[in-house]
Each structure stands twice: as C-alpha cells, then as structure tokens.
C-alpha cells in the first residue's frame, strides 16, 4: 500500500527557530514553505516570492494557515 506524501511544512517544523519569539509574526515552517513554493514556480528574488505569494494567497491558505498574511520580502 503506497504511503501518503509528507506535507512540506512537516519538513520545516523540526528546524530550530533562531528568531526572538516576541517579534515573530509568521511561522518559520510556513514562511519557508512559501519561499520554496515561490522558487519552484520561478521566483528569483525575495520580492518576486512575495509578489507570487500575494497573488496566490487564496490557494496557499488551502494548505497553510497564514494568520498574518504573507511575510514581507524583508
């Protein structure tokens, strides 16, 4: 019986988050997932990743929570 593929966010959940907790607005796993997806569709810069993600926000929210929207390219 074939196994189900692992959600990409599960790969990133195990990473230690070096950011200051009180300054975090976006999940590290979700931020990295958005970045990887953007790169896979051809985005070459942080600005292009953000623009793609803003355009695809409804689709991304089918898979990610993104309670504070798309992270800034900064």
């Amino acid at each position: 019986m074939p196994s189900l593929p692992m959600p990409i966010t599960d790969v990133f959940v195990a990473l230690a988050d070096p950011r200051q907790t009180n300054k975090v607005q976006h999940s590290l796993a979700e931020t990295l997932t958005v970045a990887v997806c953007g790169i896979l569709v051809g985005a070459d810069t942080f600005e292009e990743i953000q623009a793609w993600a803003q355009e695809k926000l409804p689709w991304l929210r089918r898979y990610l929570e993104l309670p504070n929207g798309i992270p800034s390219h900064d």
Side-chain angles (χ1 to χ4, degrees):
M1 175 176 243
S3 63
L4 294 174
M6 179 185 348
I8 190 168
T9 53
D10 288 358
V11 174
F12 299 124
V13 169
L15 293 176
D17 191 344
R19 302 175 296 172
Q20 295 177 353
T21 308
N22 60 335
K23 296 182 180 181
V24 172
Q25 292 185 357
H26 303 281
S27 154
L28 181 62
E30 288 192 347
T31 300
L32 293 174
T33 298
V34 168
V36 168
C37 289
I39 290 167
L40 289 174
V41 299
D44 292 323
T45 67
F46 295 121
E47 291 84 1
E48 288 177 359
I49 293 169
Q50 181 185 11
W52 171 82
Q54 289 289 358
E55 182 179 317
K56 299 298 183 183
L57 183 58
W59 178 81
L60 287 167
R61 282 205 165 127
R62 291 174 46 196
Y63 306 99
L64 305 171
E65 291 181 24
L66 299 167
N68 294 314
I70 299 300
S72 166
H73 65 274
D74 290 339

